[in-house]
Structure formats: C-alpha cells, structure tokens
Amino acid sequence: MNFMKNLFSIIMLAAGLSASAAEIASPDGMLRLTVDLDPQGAPFYSVAYKGAPLVENSRLGLTADETSFNDGFRIASVDTLTVDRTWQPVWGEYSEVRDHFREMAVNLVADNPERALTLRFRVFDDGLGFRYELPAQSKNNYLTLRGEATEFNFADDHTLFCIPGDYDTDEYLWSETTFSNLPEALGNYRKHSEAQRTGGTVIQTPMLIKTKGEHPVYVNIHEAALVGYPAMLLDVDTEGFDMKASLVPDRLGVSGYLQLPFSTPWRTLIVSDDARDILASQLIYNLNEPCKIEDTSWIKPMKFMGVWWEMFTGNVKTWAYSDDYLAKPGVTDYSSLRSNGRHPANTENVKKYIDFASAHGIDAVLVEGWNEGWEDWASYRKNRQFLFDKAYPDFDVEQLREYAKAKGVKLVMHHETAANAADYALQLDRAFQFMKDNNYDAVKTGYVGAVIPRSEHHTSQWMVDHVLDVAKRAADYHIMVDSHEAPRPTGLARTWPNWLAQESARGGEFESFGGNPPSHTCMLPFTRLKGGPMDYTPGLFQGDLSYYGEGKTSKAGTTLARQLALYLTMPSPMQMACDLPENYERFADAFRFIEDVPVDWSDSRYLEAEPNRYITVARKDKNSDDWYVGAITDDQRRTALIDFSFLPKGAKYEATIYEDAPDADYRTNPQAYRIRTVKVTDKTRLKQPLAPGGGVAIRVVPLK
Ligand code: NOJ
Ligand code: CA
C-alpha cells in the first residue's frame, strides 16, 4: 500500500501534474492543503503541517448506484476566499468564538457522463474541513449513495485512540494502539454483537491520532454538520496506515438517498502539535450553520438531579411500575395493576428530590420510569411502545407540577423510546404539548435497543434525520433536549442550541456495570466532546456499589474529588448531579462545590493535557468574576502544575481547593478528600497532587 502510494506520487511528479495543483494555507501559514487530479481525473488531497507532510495523497469522491463522482474530472475553476468573523454562542466554553479561515472551492466537471462536483475546503489555524457539494446535474439528481472514496492516509505507524466501528452504539472503552496493532486492540470487541458487523478494523469518529516521533502532532478526525446523511466510520488499512470513510448503511446496504443539490457533512481534521489546542478547538462548531432560533432567551443551561441512579445501584429498583410484563400501554388499565413496590418514580419520592434540589440551588429534577410502557420494554419484546402522556398511577403529574413550581424547581421529562423512533415521531406533538401543559421545558430522550423501523441503524441516515427533527420540533415548543443513544454530535448545537447535550459515548452509568477506568474521562474531551457536550452524569460520591448490599459489587474508577473535577473537564450546559440526595448529605462540604459550579463559561484555558493521561483546565464563569479549575489524571498519581497567570494582574483571589487526601486512591480509598483555602494571584504556581484515578476542583473567587 505504501509502495503504491509512493509510486502514485512518483507518477504524479513525472507527469508534472503537481504543477496544476490547487493549494491553500491556513491564515497563520502552518497548515497547507493541496488538491489535484490523477491521470484518470480522480481528485485527491494532501496536508502538510509546519512544513512536514501530515496527510499523504488521499482520494476524494462519492459512489452512487446511478452515477459516481470518483474520476473523469477536470478542474473547471478554483475560488478562494478569506473569512474572519466572530460569533457568540448561546452557551459553551467561550462567550465569543473566532471563525477565521481560508476557503478554497475546487469546481470539477466531467464530460462522459456529464457531472459536476465542488470540493469545498476551509483551512483554519487549528485544522481543516472539507465537504462535497453536488449541484443539480444534467441528469441523475436522485442518488442511491453507496459510499465515499474519502481517505485519510498517513505515512507511519502512528498511535491511534479509538473505539470500534459500530452502526448502533458508541458505548465503548477507548483503545490506545497503533495502526498495525489495531486488530489486536479491537479483538475483544469483535465478539460484540454489533461491532462484529464491521469486522476488526473499522473504528468510529471522533478519533485521535498522535504521530510517531520526537515532535508528535495530534489529529482529531470527525465530521461537522451531519444532516441528511449517515454517520461516518473509518475503515483502517493497518499496514498502509491509511483510513477510508465508511458510511453507515441501512439494512439494505444503502448509505443514503440524496436529492441534488446536496452538500455532505464536513470531514474535519483538528490539527496541532500541542494537545491542549485539540481541547480548545471550536473548529467543528465553526463549520456548522449559525443559530437558527431567533429568540434564545428561553434556552437555559442547568444543573439537575434525577430519580435515576437508584435504578443503577443494585438490582432492586425498577423503571417499571408493575411486574406484569404483559401490561400494554394504552390497553391495560394500569390502575388495576399492583405496584411492585420497587418503583422510585412515585410522587412521594420525587418530592424528596425536589426538596433537596430546592434547598441546594439545583435547577431541575429528572424522573425516569414515570410513564406507561416499561413493563413491556423490560422484557425486550418486539413491539415495545411507551406512551409519553400517560403517567403511572403512583406518579401524580399535576400535584408534582404544582409542588415543583412552589419550590422553584423544574422537572425534566424523560422519553425512553426503546428505539421505537417511528412511533416516537408520531407521538411527538402530543408528548411536547403534554410537557408544556405540565411546566416541563427539557427532555431527556433515549433509544435503547434495536431501532424501529427495522431497516435502520442508530447512525444510519434515517435516524440522523430523526434526532435532528426531534431537536427542531422541540425548539418550536421551546423545549431543550438531551438525547441518549443518538448519533455522535457534530456541532449541530450551534445551529440548534436548545439541543443542550447528548450521551453518545460510554457514560457514567457504566460505573454500575463494572466501572469506567480513570483514563476514560481523560480521553472523551479529546474525541467525543469535540462534537458537543456530553451528559456524562458526574457527581458520583458513593462509587462502591457494595455499599448498598443489593447485589452489585461494581466499583467506580474514580475518587470523590475527581467527580468534582469532571464539572470542569466535561463541560456541559446540562449537567447532572447523579448521586442520591442522602449521599450528598453524607458529604455536604464536598457537595458545596457542585452547588457553586457554573454550567456556562465566558472563557476557558487548557493548562495541561495529554490524551488518555491528564487534563487541567481553568474556566471563567459567564455570570461572575469567579474562575474554576479542574484537573484529572488516569490511574497514575500525578502532580498537576496549575499556573494562575490567567487571572488579571495583581488582583487577589481566594481559592477553595477540593482535593484528594494524601492516602486517596480510586481503588482503595476513593472517598478520602480534603478541602482547604489559599490565597492566589496571577503569580501563583500551584503544585497540586492528584491521587491515582483522582482529581482536583478549585473555586477561585475575587477577594473584596
Ligand atoms: C440508557 C440511558 O443512557 C440511561 O441514562 C437511562 O437511564 C436508560 N437508558 C433508561 O432509559
Ligand atoms: Ca446509554
């Protein structure tokens, strides 16, 4: 493969074709992109970073049943443009984002058969994006898409950070491997019922590459603005160090049905030799359309608790009201069923959460298991259905509406669809109206299980359309959305900022299914979070589940202090405090940090970072002069070096430090923490010890 690649370049040079190449550089000149055609008229590109080749000659193109856009082209014209503008996100890590790039549109035409294709490239200082634009053609304006020719070809056996390719789930642990070791690294996953469909060498995006050598370059590969198109996986050639786009198909093997004109999502590469820049990059948002919601005043970042973790602590509590698995929503008279007595979504219990949230300044309470349908779902029957406007007999919608209102707390709706997306789409208006009538303005959706319609996968074109449609229709009702088991985000929250968060990765719930290793959250910000915030569900104080004596022995891969740090390292405008009120009462002084920490920021500074190892970040509250610092490490003890020079010169601050105690260790002593207060200024350099699996969270408040 490498030989072929070299040969290919040699032929190109010999033919003198590179002379006709179109070239463009980033505004700072560090990234350089070249586009050209081979002798067959097939387009390809390459990327150099700081003068050295990074992405080698890599094909571009699209394949459809009706016609393909892979070769036979000539360059009709090239348009270039420089753009420098800023925009203000409704929420996020920064109050202002700079969108500064050089653009090059390479307009290709082919004669036989007649076709036109524009390749649009945008090169930023922190990476680049490109997409295919298919204008209306003289014929074949309806395409049955089979795939893309897009390649990302590298020249050496670099390090890869990735999860296995899968059409239906992304809830995997990260592998740190190399191109050549990938099959071994993903070996265990090949047995997974879903991942096996894609074989051993297909991986998901976002993924991260760290190049070999003394001066490594980090490259995050993903996509932006995934609309009307399937998600992209990467098919890895482990010997040639090459990757090829692999589009998720429906069950007929078709990747998409397109009507032209059509623009594909952007293929994105975030590039830097400083790992911190990967975390700071807003490139994927920059490649999305501006906000389409005119009045955004109703969109409010929030912290929430939930009648939720109770169902994970042991094998006791259930989402279902009764044990009658034959109960059918809309048909069964639920008032005649007997409660199983293990159903936490009941009025009295919800009131306790509301009381706690109200007393501690937590904005909202999520309630799972409130509606008809869980009996059927729990047994994984084929025709599962939920009703989104039918509460169980022990959940008094009106009483709770009034109670929550009186206590100044919002309730968060839950719509588990069990992946019956077709049925959910039909119920949606009724469901949203029911929410509005009962004072709910945020919903957590879920798609657990095999998708209905059966022809689809979780990340095929139909589902991509479905989840975006839910977010848009929610906006019509002024409803905010947190979607679980939805396609990995691609920055669409810029356009639809009511789409506050998604799960779309292995979340905190896995601390109850055997645990997440500490490195997991040292990886997500480099990958999954580049597309948008994650509802990771931090705030787990009682991570050893044997505590409950209910049958589970799972141990969380974290110290208590680290859970606080996650509010900084896993920023989200919809942030959970996942644990039970009684656990927060046991550690009330530590919970104080969760009460205080904001969920919306005016500025963020990544101070230290290395994928899979550690992250240290400082953020400024959007609504005050307070700063917050969070640092986490993997399973190794570490000293974070916190440089406070981000503070205004000369100003004095008081820092409250929530840290691992000296004897803390996520395996043996996770709940050992200390809280201390020190004075800091812009001159302070704090050497902060972190326990194995530990972290630190710091609140920094100006001294009057
Ligand atoms: C999976 C979600 O990730 C989790 O948060 C939820 O509780 C269950 N599905 C049930 O809907
Ligand atoms: Ca999930």
Side-chain angles (χ1 to χ4, degrees):
M1 231 354 231
N2 255 339
F3 169 71
M4 288 297 291
K5 221 157 49 183
N6 293 337
L7 192 66
F8 180 61
S9 324
I10 292 164
I11 293 170
M12 305 297 312
L13 280 174
L17 279 175
S18 43
S20 71
E23 246 195 55
I24 190 147
S26 56
D28 67 3
M30 296 301 171
L31 265 179
R32 201 161 272 283
L33 175 121
T34 310
V35 182
D36 209 342
L37 300 176
D38 78 359
Q40 279 69 50
F44 64 92
Y45 75 102
S46 62
V47 180
Y49 176 66
K50 294 194 172 171
L54 179 66
V55 181
E56 307 239 292
N57 287 339
S58 300
R59 294 269 178 204
L60 297 165
L62 291 161
T63 305
D65 285 350
E66 295 75 7
T67 188
S68 288
F69 296 81
N70 292 324
D71 50 25
F73 287 112
R74 61 190 148 77
I75 298 179
S77 60
V78 175
D79 305 319
T80 57
L81 178 74
T82 300
V83 171
D84 190 0
R85 59 192 169 198
T86 54
W87 55 281
Q88 288 78 36
V90 175
W91 45 258
E93 298 182 69
Y94 304 89
S95 56
E96 201 159 77
V97 177
R98 186 172 181 195
D99 182 21
H100 185 200
F101 59 87
R102 292 224 177 105
E103 179 175 288
M104 175 168 76
V106 181
N107 303 305
L108 303 175
V109 292
D111 297 325
N112 190 20
E114 230 175 78
R115 283 155 302 151
L117 168 66
T118 294
L119 307 170
R120 190 175 302 278
F121 298 87
R122 287 187 180 171
V123 187
F124 304 76
D125 289 348
D126 59 350
L128 63 101
F130 60 86
R131 71 177 181 189
Y132 302 98
E133 296 180 1
L134 293 158
Q137 311 282 318
S138 57
K139 42 182 181 291
N140 290 320
N141 282 302
Y142 299 90
L143 299 180
T144 311
L145 184 70
R146 291 289 171 176
E148 272 184 31
T150 316
E151 292 174 343
F152 307 90
N153 294 339
F154 291 83
D156 209 339
D157 199 8
H158 301 317
T159 298
L160 309 182
F161 302 88
C162 58
I163 56 175
D166 197 313
Y167 304 150
D168 287 286
T169 182
D170 27 48
E171 301 187 3
Y172 292 108
L173 288 175
W174 292 88
S175 292
E176 177 176 344
T177 179
T178 54
F179 276 106
S180 57
N181 271 319
L182 184 67
E184 201 180 312
L186 300 188
N188 291 331
Y189 286 120
R190 244 174 300 170
K191 296 182 212 108
H192 188 281
S193 61
E194 307 288 351
Q196 71 188 3
R197 263 195 286 242
T198 59
T201 52
V202 177
I203 59 176
Q204 307 196 21
T205 74
M207 59 84 63
L208 188 76
I209 293 180
K210 180 181 178 182
T211 64
K212 238 177 145 170
E214 230 185 293
H215 302 288
V217 179
Y218 302 85
V219 186
N220 172 297
I221 301 182
H222 190 37
E223 54 185 323
L226 174 60
V227 178
Y229 206 77
M232 177 177 72
L233 302 174
L234 297 172
D235 198 346
V236 182
D237 170 357
T238 58
E239 284 161 23
F241 318 136
D242 297 339
M243 301 194 284
K244 186 167 186 280
S246 163
L247 302 179
V248 173
D250 65 16
R251 285 175 200 262
L252 296 173
V254 175
S255 286
Y257 301 89
L258 308 181
Q259 182 184 12
L260 309 193
F262 182 84
S263 296
T264 69
W266 297 90
R267 277 64 192 89
T268 59
L269 296 99
I270 305 171
V271 180
S272 179
D273 53 9
D274 185 335
R276 297 174 301 178
D277 295 343
I278 305 292
L279 299 178
S281 174
Q282 301 292 295
L283 179 140
I284 289 179
Y285 284 130
N286 277 332
L287 287 168
N288 274 270
E289 300 274 308
C291 179
K292 288 197 175 155
I293 301 171
E294 225 164 273
D295 168 20
T296 57
S297 59
W298 54 274
I299 300 172
K300 298 216 166 67
M302 70 179 87
K303 273 178 281 187
F304 69 106
M305 298 182 65
V307 175
W308 181 70
W309 189 245
E310 287 188 53
M311 283 86 99
F312 291 83
T313 55
N315 299 313
V316 180
K317 307 278 176 62
T318 62
W319 282 264
Y321 166 74
S322 87
D323 285 343
D324 181 357
Y325 74 93
L326 290 174
K328 241 182 155 210
V331 177
T332 303
D333 172 11
Y334 276 72
S335 64
S336 72
L337 293 179
R338 224 160 25 100
S339 163
N340 62 17
R342 295 175 284 122
H343 178 235
N346 66 72
T347 308
E348 285 321 301
N349 194 39
V350 175
K351 278 185 179 171
K352 277 193 222 153
Y353 279 80
I354 294 173
D355 290 344
F356 184 89
S358 174
H360 295 270
I362 302 294
D363 306 294
V365 172
L366 162 79
V367 186
E368 295 200 4
W370 69 278
N371 62 326
E372 292 186 8
W374 290 90
E375 288 76 9
D376 184 51
W377 178 61
S379 61
Y380 286 95
R381 284 165 54 202
K382 299 267 180 211
N383 297 317
R384 49 191 195 240
Q385 194 201 22
F386 286 91
L387 291 183
F388 302 108
D389 57 356
K390 269 279 183 357
Y392 280 136
D394 59 348
F395 183 88
D396 189 331
V397 177
E398 274 144 47
Q399 198 191 131
L400 286 168
R401 175 185 68 206
E402 297 311 316
Y403 193 80
K405 240 192 233 168
K407 295 267 175 173
V409 171
K410 285 280 186 177
L411 288 171
V412 175
M413 177 50 76
H414 186 226
H415 290 165
E416 174 56 64
T417 67
N420 192 343
D423 179 60
Y424 185 43
L426 295 175
Q427 290 193 56
L428 205 56
D429 283 303
R430 223 170 61 225
F432 284 164
Q433 194 52 54
F434 180 81
M435 281 178 61
K436 288 322 273 192
D437 293 345
N438 292 293
N439 203 31
Y440 289 76
D441 52 20
V443 62
K444 170 178 169 179
T445 62
Y447 299 91
V448 173
V451 171
I452 300 176
R454 293 292 181 212
S455 53
E456 299 303 330
H457 292 292
H458 278 76
T459 53
S460 59
Q461 183 191 30
W462 191 91
M463 272 302 276
V464 165
D465 287 345
H466 166 84
V467 293
L468 177 56
D469 187 55
V470 169
K472 287 185 189 174
R473 288 166 69 183
D476 291 340
Y477 286 85
H478 288 193
I479 286 173
M480 295 169 275
V481 180
D482 164 18
S483 33
H484 280 228
E485 295 89 40
R488 295 170 293 288
T490 58
L492 286 164
R494 175 181 175 188
T495 315
W496 303 100
N498 65 312
W499 200 350
L500 292 184
Q502 291 189 224
E503 181 187 45
S504 302
R506 179 177 164 121
E509 64 185 354
F510 277 82
E511 301 289 19
S512 81
F513 314 146
N516 285 337
S519 58
H520 187 60
T521 37
C522 297
M523 208 51 243
L524 290 170
F526 284 98
T527 51
R528 159 66 185 77
L529 263 55
K530 295 324 299 173
M534 177 170 178
D535 177 19
Y536 183 77
T537 70
L540 183 60
F541 282 9
Q542 183 53 54
D544 178 351
L545 296 193
S546 63
Y547 170 83
Y548 296 97
E550 290 177 350
K552 275 197 185 171
T553 55
S554 188
K555 266 190 177 183
T558 177
T559 65
L560 191 152
R562 179 203 191 80
Q563 287 293 309
L564 303 179
L566 294 180
Y567 288 83
L568 285 314
T569 59
M570 300 283 290
S572 172
M574 189 161 169
Q575 195 74 290
M576 197 176 199
C578 75
D579 216 326
L580 312 181
E582 55 259 42
N583 291 330
Y584 289 144
E585 266 150 13
R586 285 165 59 210
F587 303 101
D589 56 350
F591 187 68
R592 184 62 206 269
F593 184 83
I594 298 180
E595 292 179 34
D596 290 336
V597 69
V599 286
D600 197 12
W601 310 98
S602 61
D603 200 5
S604 296
R605 309 287 175 85
Y606 287 94
L607 306 178
E608 301 180 298
E610 178 61 14
N612 229 10
R613 303 283 185 278
Y614 56 84
I615 296 171
T616 306
V617 64
R619 301 188 194 277
K620 182 165 181 292
D621 180 11
K622 203 171 196 173
N623 302 305
S624 77
D625 291 329
D626 300 351
W627 283 81
Y628 286 79
V629 180
I632 57 170
T633 178
D634 59 6
D635 58 1
Q636 301 298 308
R637 187 177 295 285
R638 184 171 189 274
T639 302
L641 182 62
I642 304 172
D643 177 341
F644 283 84
S645 60
F646 55 81
L647 292 174
K649 275 207 171 19
K652 293 196 174 77
Y653 285 77
E654 181 176 85
T656 308
I657 303 175
Y658 299 74
E659 62 185 357
D660 295 316
D663 57 345
D665 185 308
Y666 78 102
R667 284 162 295 222
T668 52
N669 199 12
Q671 290 170 328
Y673 64 92
R674 289 194 317 203
I675 302 171
R676 64 188 168 106
T677 305
V678 297
K679 306 257 180 295
V680 296
T681 69
D682 62 304
K683 299 265 175 331
T684 307
R685 309 286 177 267
L686 183 70
K687 284 191 179 147
Q688 177 61 49
L690 311 176
V696 68
I698 310 178
R699 181 178 189 218
V700 188
V701 180
L703 278 171
K704 300 266 153 30

